[in-house]
Amino acid sequence: QVQLVESGGGLVQAGGSLRLSCAAAGEFYNIGTMGWYRQAPGKQREMVALINRGGSETYADAVKDRFTISRHNARNTVDLLMNALKPEDTAVYYCNANFARSMWDTSGRAWGQGTQVTVSS
């Protein structure tokens, strides 16, 4: 199985920046697409940004041009740099990873425990 450990959340003023980090550990064949999701109070969890092993990035429209996702394949880590933060970015942010248990089983999916990001106006 894969365990994802997140760090870097906190409180920041509107217009500020934060960097979230996530490290994968455990037993797996390899890690596929990694990403970040978020869930605000009373709302459904939503995709924020994804990055595949080749480095191709996908962003939600709400964060495009403000957030940047990056990963280090050898270290099995993924970061999310968040700039120009807005109060509406306030949410619990979750790291996510698709992983292969073996060459023939690529169906694994793991979630981190979540880290709170609060943006004050």
Side-chain angles (χ1 to χ4, degrees), residues 6 37 71 107 116:
E6 301 137 339
Y37 290 71
R71 68 184 286 170
S107 63
Q116 177 70 45

Side-chain angles (χ1 to χ4, degrees), residues 7 10 12 19 22 28 31 35 50 55 73 87 89-90 94 96 100 115 121:
S7 61
V12 65
R19 178 185 290 272
C22 173
F28 49 87
I31 302 284
L50 303 173
N73 287 337
D89 294 317
T90 295
Y94 297 90
N96 171 263
T115 185
S121 56

